[in-house]
Amino acid sequence: MSNIESYEKRLKDFDWSIAEKELDYNKGDSINIGWYCSDRICKQGKADKKALIWEGLGGIEKTYTFNDVRLRSNTIASFLKNLGIKTEDRVCLFMDKIPELYMGFLGILKLGAIAQPLFSAFGDESLHVRLDNAQTTAIITQRKHVSKVRKILDQMPYLKHIIIVDYEGKNPLREREVAFNMDDAIQVENFEISQTKAESPSVLHYTSGTTGQPKGVKHVHYSLISQYLTTKWVLDLQDDDIYWCTADPGWVTGTSYGIIGPWSLGITQCVLDTGFSAESWYKFIQKRKITVWYSAPTAIRSLMKAGENIIKEHDLSSLRHLASVGEPLNAEAVIWSEKVFGKAFLDTYWQTETGSMMLTNYPGMKIKPGSMGKPFPGITASILDTKTFEPINEIGKPGLIGFKPGWPAMMRTYWRNEETYQKKFENGWYLPGDRAYIDNEGYYWFIGRDDDVINTGGHLVSPFEVESALLEHEAVAESAVVAKPDDVNMEVVKAFVTLKPGNEASDELELKIMNFIRKKLSPLAMPQEIEYMDTLPKTRSGKIMRRLLHAKEWGEEIGDISTLEDD
Ligand code: PRX
């Protein structure tokens, strides 16, 4: 049965208690996402239903039922408890998209600890700043990533346990390391799940800003209410769906809609833990008979590039509903998807801090290709004047997106950084930091970010982090990092550097610097181009004028430099 009701009707009748009722949650009850995503589904008679169909490199396959998920998350929770991990301790998940990541996430929540998922391609420095900020007690990882942890171990006295999920006994375990094999462990039938409350912390996701270190976005168990309902209504997941969310749980889409949303609804989901290729993705859809697909614009643009012939070679007729998030979804991509898949990708807009979808192309609503759609019912949104923060109420006039705080999945603070959190509010509105306008039918159209953060392939990269890392390279004297336009990734990282005396500008050095950043930070943060400069443009007070370099890259008018100089 479809979950679809008209947007207008949903708006009229809306109350978040709709989700509370469906989840049998009463105010004041305990609410634990781990329980909701496994035990409750088993209680509803779906213990033997497939929860996860996982495929890794070389086509290896593993399948887990909801009862398997329940047992494995119990077993992980119990293992962590025996190590001495306590309520609200931070436990980092630092793994590829392997089953242990998904079960581990729920296990941590069942224990009442806080899950801190981090993208496994992060280098040691990216890892270190995030573990340091969170003062993480334990990290669950794989052999292939453990060397990055070992490298920074001395600087992390708070990190007591390094749990390796694929230890084979070949090399001895080192200081603080312990082996845990999820599938071989004696499964724990009954685990006393932590009676977490609505406001108990659940997940800590790190996101990058323009300045300063990455911020830990703190979410709570009550986020389930929005994640459940948006999944049900916007992704329209139904009992017999086979769902594929292509996002990595190192990022918020991979947890909100790659774990919590689908599993709280008892839906079968598939995970493909291999790199991207159009061929492997289409094969996966065909083989798994994917019905609902949630992906990102960069992937869609890459598929467009791969052409239509390859689509014709596959049977993709199982697809019935497609959605996208992470960056602007250009009109061409929407029109193309409708043509080649018979279904348009529906754009959704939200962010790590919002925890769940905010603006959506609600199923059934008229699609305006290129638009982010309208506010999800229960979300009060507006376009605000950039100075007064009052709603603009003028069709087509650009301003800042603003949301009235109070939806269930909203972040509760930035970890150990309440001051920055408070700065996200003006005049009673939460400001996500993006600019947009509203058209005559109430649709939102994205214009751009209101800061210098780079969105590359749907991943936010802080220019500050890359600039700082560049300065650690022996040849670099000064650095400035900006976004450069890119056909597929929308933006890529570009660095401008001046060299220390004694260093020659060369292609070889450019490659060395690129690799240095890739290893230290991540492949996403690696500049795709490095331009050598004799000097960098600076304000009178000596601050590098990043905006000037940005304007140059985008072929924009530089405008009045005298105002920039006073920045
Ligand atoms: O700038 C917006 C852009 O991505 C930012 C959020 O990034 P992150 O916190 O990493 O979360 C990504 C996935 C939820 C936003 O502030 N963004 C996200 N969705 C869209 C978008 N920009 C345009 N259109 C979208 N649909």
Side-chain angles (χ1 to χ4, degrees):
M1 211 183 70
S2 171
N3 302 314
I4 298 175
E5 270 287 359
S6 80
Y7 178 69
E8 288 68 30
K9 173 151 185 355
R10 293 289 198 207
L11 271 187
K12 206 160 123 257
D13 302 343
F14 191 83
D15 195 300
W16 289 111
S17 66
I18 297 171
E20 294 181 347
K21 268 198 207 104
E22 290 189 15
L23 291 163
D24 300 317
Y25 168 79
N26 295 304
K27 290 250 180 294
D29 284 358
S30 77
I31 174 169
N32 187 300
I33 290 174
W35 181 82
Y36 269 102
C37 290
S38 56
D39 299 61
R40 179 171 184 265
I41 305 300
C42 292
K43 281 209 166 103
Q44 291 175 330
K46 295 186 198 167
D48 295 330
K49 180 175 176 180
K50 285 177 190 166
L52 176 67
I53 302 169
W54 176 88
E55 195 176 306
L57 275 179
I60 344 165
E61 183 181 320
K62 291 184 185 174
T63 300
Y64 298 86
T65 63
F66 276 99
N67 195 44
D68 294 332
V69 174
R70 181 182 72 82
L71 291 174
R72 276 160 181 72
S73 52
N74 277 354
T75 307
I76 294 171
S78 160
F79 180 81
L80 294 172
K81 188 173 183 180
N82 291 336
L83 284 180
I85 310 248
K86 295 185 295 295
T87 310
E88 299 194 17
D89 277 351
R90 275 73 61 206
V91 180
C92 173
L93 294 152
F94 190 53
M95 286 174 272
D96 297 352
K97 290 189 278 180
I98 56 174
E100 285 82 347
L101 174 54
Y102 296 78
M103 322 287 170
F105 180 80
L106 298 185
I108 294 167
L109 299 183
K110 282 186 170 180
L111 178 62
I114 303 175
Q116 183 193 8
L118 290 179
F119 184 44
S120 64
F122 274 152
D124 53 285
E125 185 151 322
S126 291
L127 183 63
H128 182 221
V129 291
R130 289 161 177 82
L131 295 181
D132 216 32
N133 180 264
Q135 296 282 295
T136 309
T137 308
I139 184 166
I140 310 180
T141 191
Q142 291 165 274
R143 269 181 302 147
K144 68 197 256 200
H145 299 303
V146 82
S147 63
K148 294 188 263 189
V149 184
R150 285 176 181 164
K151 203 166 161 194
I152 49 176
L153 193 62
D154 285 351
Q155 302 161 59
M156 303 191 294
Y158 43 83
L159 187 74
K160 299 207 174 69
H161 311 283
I162 300 154
I163 301 154
I164 303 173
V165 296
D166 55 355
Y167 180 65
E168 285 184 332
K170 281 193 196 132
N171 300 308
L173 290 167
R174 298 210 197 155
E175 191 193 337
R176 299 183 237 174
E177 291 174 3
V178 52
F180 172 76
N181 185 313
M182 179 180 85
D183 289 332
D184 292 350
I186 298 168
Q187 300 297 307
V188 174
E189 181 62 44
N190 294 304
F191 179 79
E192 204 179 311
I193 296 174
S194 174
Q195 298 289 302
T196 42
K197 295 284 186 182
E199 293 304 305
S200 304
S202 54
V203 185
L204 196 57
H205 266 299
Y206 276 77
T207 187
S208 296
T210 312
T211 55
Q213 296 294 3
K215 296 162 287 182
V217 175
K218 181 177 122 175
H219 287 292
V220 296
H221 282 266
Y222 192 62
S223 69
L224 171 69
I225 302 298
S226 330
Q227 289 153 346
Y228 167 89
L229 206 62
T230 47
T231 305
K232 184 166 177 183
W233 288 2
V234 181
L235 297 178
D236 185 31
L237 288 184
Q238 301 164 29
D239 206 32
D240 54 357
D241 270 319
I242 308 286
Y243 170 63
W244 184 28
C245 169
T246 60
D248 186 311
W251 310 101
V252 72
T253 309
T255 56
S256 291
Y257 297 100
I259 304 180
I260 305 173
W263 280 355
S264 64
L265 280 150
I267 302 297
T268 303
Q269 67 161 329
C270 299
V271 169
L272 179 63
D273 184 25
T274 62
F276 172 85
S277 87
E279 171 80 33
S280 63
W281 275 35
Y282 291 140
K283 255 202 185 123
F284 191 66
I285 293 170
Q286 173 178 289
K287 183 166 168 197
R288 304 296 169 196
K289 299 193 166 46
I290 304 293
T291 57
V292 180
W293 184 19
Y294 195 27
S295 198
T298 288
I300 300 164
R301 287 191 289 266
S302 304
L303 293 174
M304 280 173 83
K305 260 200 154 169
E308 289 173 36
N309 284 343
I310 185 165
I311 297 178
K312 294 191 188 117
E313 288 161 17
H314 295 87
D315 176 4
L316 308 178
S317 57
S318 56
L319 292 173
R320 79 166 176 85
H321 189 47
L322 320 179
S324 162
V325 66
E327 350 146 36
L329 181 64
N330 38 320
E332 298 78 20
V334 177
I335 295 162
W336 175 81
S337 64
E338 181 141 40
K339 181 172 138 220
V340 299
F341 302 126
K343 308 272 172 295
F345 270 98
L346 301 188
D347 192 16
T348 63
Y349 165 95
W350 57 290
Q351 54 173 197
T352 310
E353 285 89 338
T354 68
S356 61
M357 297 171 187
M358 303 301 283
L359 304 173
T360 68
N361 278 276
Y362 202 88
M365 203 165 89
K366 176 173 80 178
I367 301 172
K368 290 188 155 189
S371 157
M372 299 184 285
K374 297 186 183 189
F376 183 78
I379 301 295
T380 308
S382 193
I383 298 296
L384 310 174
D385 182 272
T386 50
K387 292 206 171 65
T388 62
F389 304 104
E390 289 295 335
I392 286 178
N393 295 330
E394 194 181 315
I395 291 164
K397 185 152 184 227
L400 292 171
I401 299 178
F403 296 116
K404 278 272 173 226
W407 67 96
M410 179 171 180
M411 70 164 162
R412 296 307 196 258
T413 189
Y414 288 125
W415 194 255
R416 292 168 59 198
N417 197 350
E418 177 68 17
E419 199 185 325
T420 306
Y421 172 73
Q422 291 301 342
K423 286 191 189 140
K424 298 289 290 187
F425 300 88
E426 289 288 352
N427 192 26
W429 295 91
Y430 166 72
L431 305 179
D434 289 307
R435 286 176 290 119
Y437 68 88
I438 309 180
D439 72 11
N440 57 348
E441 290 177 297
Y443 282 69
Y444 284 66
W445 296 77
F446 187 79
I447 298 175
R449 286 192 61 94
D450 195 45
D451 58 20
D452 291 342
V453 171
I454 301 164
N455 187 335
T456 179
H459 300 293
L460 303 188
V461 172
S462 148
F464 168 80
E465 256 187 297
V466 185
E467 285 165 1
S468 309
L470 281 167
L471 296 182
E472 288 176 44
H473 189 278
E474 57 192 15
V476 176
E478 292 175 308
S479 65
V481 166
V482 299
K484 174 184 147 87
D486 184 82
D487 282 355
V488 172
N489 290 289
M490 190 178 83
E491 298 182 346
V492 289
V493 176
K494 169 155 184 187
F496 294 86
V497 298
T498 63
L499 296 178
K500 287 183 183 157
N503 291 284
E504 281 283 316
S506 70
D507 290 350
E508 198 190 334
L509 180 61
E510 183 183 12
L511 280 182
K512 274 194 187 152
I513 299 175
M514 285 175 172
N515 256 322
F516 177 79
I517 300 298
R518 185 177 58 80
K519 278 207 181 134
K520 219 176 208 340
L521 298 181
S522 77
L524 302 170
M526 183 182 86
Q528 300 294 312
E529 188 185 327
I530 296 177
E531 190 170 324
Y532 300 110
M533 309 273 279
D534 293 332
T535 52
L536 293 178
K538 296 202 190 82
T539 60
R540 270 188 294 268
S541 58
K543 223 175 113 189
I544 292 167
M545 289 196 281
R546 207 191 265 142
R547 266 196 279 160
L548 206 98
L549 297 167
H550 186 274
K552 175 172 149 324
E553 284 310 307
W554 293 76
E556 288 163 2
E557 284 290 313
I558 292 167
D560 182 2
I561 297 188
S562 62
T563 59
L564 284 174
E565 286 198 345
D566 293 331
D567 266 3

